């Protein structure tokens, strides 16, 4: 596989797309810019606020489910034998890379269920994907010389310029992981841990020299002072292709009276259960007492370390990612904390006799909890590397998270082409893409009027286009796909080569097979245009993250800033009677003295997958 990209000036090319003719002429470029400004302002205004929006819950999830379910003990083969589809507990130390570990854990289970393959056989994981590969390339911008050179996330962790390995502690979300997977960067199977040498050895989670140190609690870990870099030649290495990434509804909505909407939470929880019943573990974010297992001197605030039951009883952001593998409706609310120690200026408080000063805190309003896999090691870990660490229920590395946790969010499930059906259909293939900026969250721009977004690609060889990839940003969203060829740099507006519609229950990343393939000769150009709508609302999917200005103004929750690259002729917007090169819009909105000046924008997340044809 190789990644093909092309440049193309859009002057006079898109004189009149069919979709443009249907769009009211009263709208134009300024209306698109105004919509982008509104979206940016909403993002800034909502920064740090939790539970401000209710999502639509797809009707497919609204049914009854069993009281308990556990992907470590389920009969997916319908042979009466329950099996484990969850890989062993791993250990993220020494870095804050929980988001990569949580995403990989969910990916491994999804793949195992689709393969109908047990997770552990003969005391060894049957699949072991690389958290290191994902974490490294999310924070390694595209190299100079590439058309998208310089695009990416730049770590701002202290000391990162002296030791680039520290970028692995920059923090991120699982959405960033799936966005790089969608670009062909992973997921990757780790090689044999003990015997592998050379560049692929670093797909395992350790530095090049396997230097070790110990934590504050005496646990052995690999040292962050080692060289953890991964060779650039492995960037587009991929064992399994991501076919669908499913963004689940947020379960937390805070009502005007400041209380959590429990009825809505229970409806959203059904969407999580639906995915688990389908064999997809869930990567989620929540507010943990700590984002690593080695904090000392901290008083427990949300987790009961006797039962390892966690409940964030107040609206809070997310600082840790984990993997949900099951649930228990009957898990008693009494297992959660009802008292915590006072903390003054970050220091636990004691009375004159040295006894902790305690205060009452609320327990969950009802019974019920998610069964959660952490990445802080376990007492009996069998995974390769230094994973032994006594944490979780009976040292197992697992804990319980209340259904009603007031920080739970950023929930995602994955579906992979595990049998290589897509790759087998494509054979030797190329992905045409421009959107290589990892995105921490799903963003869209509601325009208030019909709008079409698109990318233009040029065939590097004789090719047959067979699949298209897109990102839906609303639940129950309809997408209209239009494909146009060119003749002497002019589009044949009367004869689109292909047009079709697709409905998506959940927002997320989707690889869609074309109902009819499209043949391209070497050098031939094709435009892929998408119109997104949900009900009467129209949207644009635009990748964007906070730039250096946004980071310095403390709008970015993690330690990085973003640089997006949109070259002339790559992406366009069609609105009213105008076709606008998106690079022009990007330049204008980023230069405004307003909310968009804090953001760096990327190309539209539209890709095509084409088989190469032998001459």
């Amino acid at each position: 596989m190789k990644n093909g990209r092309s440049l193309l000036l859009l002057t006079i090319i898109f004189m009149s797309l069919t979709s443009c003719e249907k769009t009211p002429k009263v709208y134009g470029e300024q209306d698109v810019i105004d919509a982008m400004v509104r979206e940016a302002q909403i993002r800034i205004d909502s920064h740090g606020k939790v539970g401000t929006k209710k999502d639509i819950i797809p009707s497919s999830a609204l049914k009854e489910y069993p009281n308990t379910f556990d992907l470590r003990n389920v009969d997916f083969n319908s042979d009466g034998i329950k099996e484990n589809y969850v890989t062993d507990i791993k250990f993220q130390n020494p870095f804050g890379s929980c988001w990569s570990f949580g995403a990989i854990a969910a990916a491994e289970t999804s793949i195992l269920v689709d393969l109908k393959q047990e997770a552990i056989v003969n005391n060894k994981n049957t699949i072991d994907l690389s958290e290191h590969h994902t974490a490294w390339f999310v924070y390694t911008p595209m190299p100079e010389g590439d058309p998208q050179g310089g695009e990416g996330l730049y770590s701002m962790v202290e000391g990162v310029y002296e030791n680039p390995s520290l970028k692995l502690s920059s923090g991120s979300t699982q959405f960033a992981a799936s966005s790089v997977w969608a670009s062909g960067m992973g997921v990757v199977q780790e090689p044999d841990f003990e015997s592998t040498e050379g560049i692929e050895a670093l797909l395992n989670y350790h530095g090049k020299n396997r230097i070790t140190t110990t934590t504050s609690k005496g646990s052995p870990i690999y040292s962050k002072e080692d060289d953890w870099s991964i060779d650039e030649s492995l960037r587009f290495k991929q064992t399994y292709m991501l076919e669908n990434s499913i963004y689940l509804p947020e379960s937390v909505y805070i009502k005007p009276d400041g209380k959590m909407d429990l009825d809505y939470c229970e409806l959203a929880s059904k969407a999580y259960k639906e995915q688990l019943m389908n064999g997809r573990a869930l990567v989620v974010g929540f507010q943990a007492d700590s984002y690593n297992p080695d904090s000392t001197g901290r008083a427990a605030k949300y987790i009961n370390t006797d039962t390892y039951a966690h409940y964030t009883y107040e609206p809070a952001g997310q600082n840790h990612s984990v993997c949900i593998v099951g649930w228990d409706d009957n898990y008693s609310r009494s297992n959660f904390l009802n008292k915590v120690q006072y903390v003054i200026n970050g220091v636990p408080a004691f009375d004159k006799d040295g006894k902790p000063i305690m205060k009452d805190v609320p327990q969950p309003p009802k019974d019920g909890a998610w069964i959660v896999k952490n990445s802080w090691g376990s007492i009996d870990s069998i995974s390769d590397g230094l994973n032994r660490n006594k944490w979780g229920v009976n040292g197992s590395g697992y804990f319980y998270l209340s259904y009603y946790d007031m920080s739970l969010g950023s929930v995602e499930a994955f579906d992979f082409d595990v049998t290589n059906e897509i790759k087998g259909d494509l054979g030797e293939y190329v992905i045409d893409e421009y959107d290589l900026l990892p995105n921490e969250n799903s963003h869209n721009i509601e325009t208030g009027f019909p709008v079409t977004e698109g990318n233009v690609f040029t065939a590097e060889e004789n090719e047959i286009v067979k699949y298209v990839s897109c990102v839906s940003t609303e639940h129950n969203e309809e997408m209209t796909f239009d494909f146009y060829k060119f003749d002497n740099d002019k589009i044949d507006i009367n004869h689109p080569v292909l047009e079709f519609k697709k409905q998506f229950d959940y927002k997320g990343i989707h690889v869609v097979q074309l109902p009819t393939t499209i043949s391209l000769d070497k050098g031939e150009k094709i435009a892929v245009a998408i119109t997104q709508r949900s009900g009467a609302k129209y949207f644009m999917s635009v990748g964007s993250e906070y730039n250096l200005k946004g980071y310095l103004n403390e709008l970015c929750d993690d330690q990085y800033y973003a640089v997006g690259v949109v070259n002339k002729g790559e992406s366009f917007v069609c609105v009213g009677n105008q076709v606008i090169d998106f690079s022009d819009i990007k330049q204008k909105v980023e230069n405004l003295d307003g909310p968009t000046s804090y953001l760096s924008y990327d190309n539209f997340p539209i890709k095509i997958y084409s088989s190469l044809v032998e001459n």
Side-chain angles (χ1 to χ4, degrees), residues 198-468:
I199 61 173
E200 293 206 357
L202 263 295
L203 295 174
N204 298 114
Y205 199 71
H206 57 70
K208 288 184 177 178
N209 300 306
R210 304 195 189 194
I211 299 171
T212 60
T213 183
T214 56
T215 68
S216 58
K217 295 182 179 180
S219 301
I221 59 172
Y222 291 111
S223 172
K224 64 175 63 175
E225 301 306 317
D226 203 348
D227 178 3
W228 289 68
S229 62
I230 295 181
D231 194 86
E232 179 64 26
S233 66
L234 298 179
R235 180 186 289 270
F236 290 102
K237 187 176 179 63
Q238 184 183 72
T239 305
Y240 296 101
M241 177 188 289
L242 181 67
E243 190 168 359
N244 287 288
S245 171
I246 304 161
Y247 304 161
L248 277 297
E250 299 290 320
S251 63
V252 179
Y253 174 69
I254 307 301
K255 297 184 291 186
D257 61 5
K259 296 181 180 179
M260 185 173 173
D261 188 329
L262 301 185
D263 292 335
Y264 168 73
C265 175
E266 289 165 7
L267 289 176
S269 295
K270 287 179 177 288
Y272 304 170
K273 291 179 178 180
E274 177 190 33
Q275 296 303 315
L276 289 162
M277 289 285 289
N278 288 334
R280 299 187 184 104
L282 309 176
V283 53
V284 304
F286 75 108
Q287 176 71 209
D289 284 351
S290 170
Y291 55 84
N292 69 67
D294 299 313
S295 299
T296 57
R298 294 188 181 184
K301 185 177 182 180
Y302 300 127
I303 192 166
N304 184 341
T305 53
D306 291 329
T307 59
Y308 282 92
H310 181 105
Y311 173 53
T312 309
Y313 43 78
E314 56 193 352
Q318 300 156 16
N319 66 354
H320 188 46
S321 293
V322 291
C323 180
I324 293 176
V325 299
W327 73 80
D328 185 351
D329 290 344
N330 300 318
Y331 190 78
S332 175
R333 58 191 293 271
S334 66
N335 288 312
F336 298 86
L337 289 175
N338 59 6
K339 293 180 181 293
V340 299
Q341 188 175 2
Y342 271 106
V343 176
I344 302 174
N345 295 326
V347 179
F350 297 85
D351 65 17
K352 61 183 179 60
D353 297 322
K355 294 182 179 180
I357 301 175
M358 307 299 289
K359 67 176 180 178
D360 293 334
V361 294
Q363 291 179 309
K366 298 181 182 180
D367 293 345
W370 304 110
I371 302 168
V372 187
K373 178 184 182 182
N374 205 349
S375 55
W376 291 352
S378 73
I379 195 170
D380 56 356
S381 174
I382 63 168
S383 288
D384 292 326
L386 305 177
N387 298 296
R388 295 295 181 90
N389 191 49
K390 188 178 180 180
W391 191 93
V393 178
N394 299 321
S396 66
Y398 286 85
F399 69 103
Y400 290 93
L401 180 64
S402 170
Y403 291 159
Y404 307 99
D405 187 277
M406 297 180 74
S407 66
L408 195 157
S410 300
V411 187
E412 191 172 9
F414 309 113
D415 182 21
F416 291 86
D417 178 28
V418 299
T419 59
N420 287 325
E421 182 178 346
I422 295 175
K423 285 187 177 181
D425 181 29
L426 289 168
E428 186 180 359
Y429 69 100
V430 57
I431 302 176
D432 284 300
E433 59 182 355
Y434 304 121
D435 57 310
L436 296 169
L437 174 65
N439 276 266
E440 278 213 331
N441 286 292
S442 168
H443 299 296
N444 67 21
I445 296 168
E446 183 178 345
T447 60
F449 50 86
V451 62
T452 296
E453 66 207 55
N455 287 344
V456 177
F457 303 108
T458 302
E460 294 187 350
E461 304 289 343
N462 294 336
E463 301 173 8
I464 301 175
V465 184
K466 294 184 176 181
Y467 296 85
V468 61

